[in-house]
Amino acid sequence: AQSVTQPDIHITVSEGASLELRCNYSYGATPYLFWYVQSPGQGLQLLLKYFSGDTLVQGIKGFEAEFKRSQSSFNLRKPSVHWSDAAEYFCAVDSGGGADGLTFGKGTHLIIQP
Amino acid sequence: GAGVSQTPSNKVTEKGKYVELRCDPISGHTALYWYRQSLGQGPEFLIYFQGTGAADDSGLPNDRFFAVRPEGSVSTLKIQRTERGDSAVYLCASSRTGQGTDTQYFGPGTRLTVL
């Protein structure tokens, strides 16, 4: 069965500093990988996704993520965070068929210090 | 266009009662998913509909949980004999075709509290 691990429960970053959120997955083949953001009172919003091709994918709000097959990782990055980036971030994997839904990690809570 | 909507936004019920949670997907989306998100956890898959049929209900925790989508649009998640452990946020998502490459668009969720 596929699984997703987000090792950091909380991360605190100063506004304007760079950010990297870690995600490791367990799946036999190349999975479909996603990053979602959840703000208080808001639904989950897709930041970016990876299926194949270029391993560095660009998303919305200035986020990017890099797929590294050798490390089974799909880390999310942003060069300079803004106070509005404070939220819960979820990494998710799909086996590719869509039929069994997404498997999510437990999330990383991002806190932005002024 | 309108996104995925869910009603009610909050539901408080007593242990043992029956509840229904409603999801209105994005118009034209054939795939609909239900997830459950407990406090401090990521969403957990419950059931997937392709059109009117439940293509995969492997995530439903037990037979107290049931979902329908009779006309291939609106879906209702039904929970019988609610237990305190059912308290969570129930999320609905829809996608255009259900293929793995499709983006799943999530609604704001229904927060269920079982007293």
Side-chain angles (χ1 to χ4, degrees):
Chain A
Q2 60 208 28
S3 65
V4 176
T5 302
Q6 293 182 247
D8 304 304
I9 298 174
H10 301 277
I11 281 190
T12 301
V13 178
S14 297
E15 189 168 17
S18 63
L19 170 71
E20 182 169 29
L21 302 182
R22 295 183 291 164
C23 172
N24 292 95
Y25 66 90
S26 173
Y27 183 64
T30 299
Y32 295 173
L33 295 160
F34 305 80
W35 274 99
Y36 279 85
V37 61
Q38 187 176 43
S39 300
Q42 304 292 316
L44 285 156
Q45 181 182 23
L46 180 70
L47 289 175
L48 47 78
K49 57 187 178 183
Y50 172 78
F51 304 136
S52 64
D54 192 347
T55 56
L56 184 64
V57 292
Q58 302 296 320
I60 62 170
K61 304 186 179 185
F63 286 93
E64 66 178 27
E66 186 171 14
F67 170 62
K68 292 186 177 180
R69 184 190 305 276
S70 62
Q71 299 177 18
S72 297
S73 69
F74 189 57
N75 294 349
L76 182 71
R77 300 195 295 249
K78 187 170 185 177
S80 176
V81 298
H82 185 261
W83 65 266
S84 61
D85 293 325
E88 192 81 19
Y89 290 79
F90 293 96
C91 182
V93 62
D94 186 317
S95 62
D100 52 0
L102 297 170
T103 299
F104 284 85
K106 292 188 176 183
T108 297
H109 185 61
L110 176 63
I111 301 165
I112 307 296
Q113 279 184 338
Chain B
V4 178
S5 62
Q6 293 185 245
T7 55
S9 55
N10 282 282
K11 177 70 177 178
V12 180
T13 190
E14 294 180 343
K15 181 176 177 296
K17 299 289 189 183
Y18 168 84
V19 296
E20 289 189 353
L21 311 179
R22 176 188 167 109
C23 171
D24 258 292
I26 293 173
S27 178
H29 281 194
T30 63
L32 185 145
Y33 305 80
W34 283 99
Y35 294 83
R36 178 170 68 175
Q37 186 174 19
S38 300
L39 194 62
Q41 302 294 315
E44 180 185 22
F45 168 75
L46 296 177
I47 187 170
Y48 159 64
F49 285 91
Q50 181 56 252
T52 60
D56 183 354
D57 63 357
S58 62
L60 294 178
N62 51 60
D63 60 7
R64 295 186 298 105
F65 288 75
F66 188 71
V68 296
R69 193 185 185 199
E71 297 178 357
S73 175
V74 170
S75 176
T76 305
L77 179 65
K78 309 181 181 193
I79 310 174
Q80 299 177 322
R81 305 183 303 281
T82 52
E83 300 177 356
R84 292 194 180 87
D86 298 334
S87 295
V89 175
Y90 289 82
L91 298 170
C92 176
S94 71
S95 72
R96 193 171 58 84
T97 69
Q99 291 182 9
T101 51
D102 279 353
T103 296
Q104 289 187 29
Y105 296 89
F106 283 80
T110 293
R111 181 176 299 278
L112 175 65
T113 303
V114 182
L115 301 177

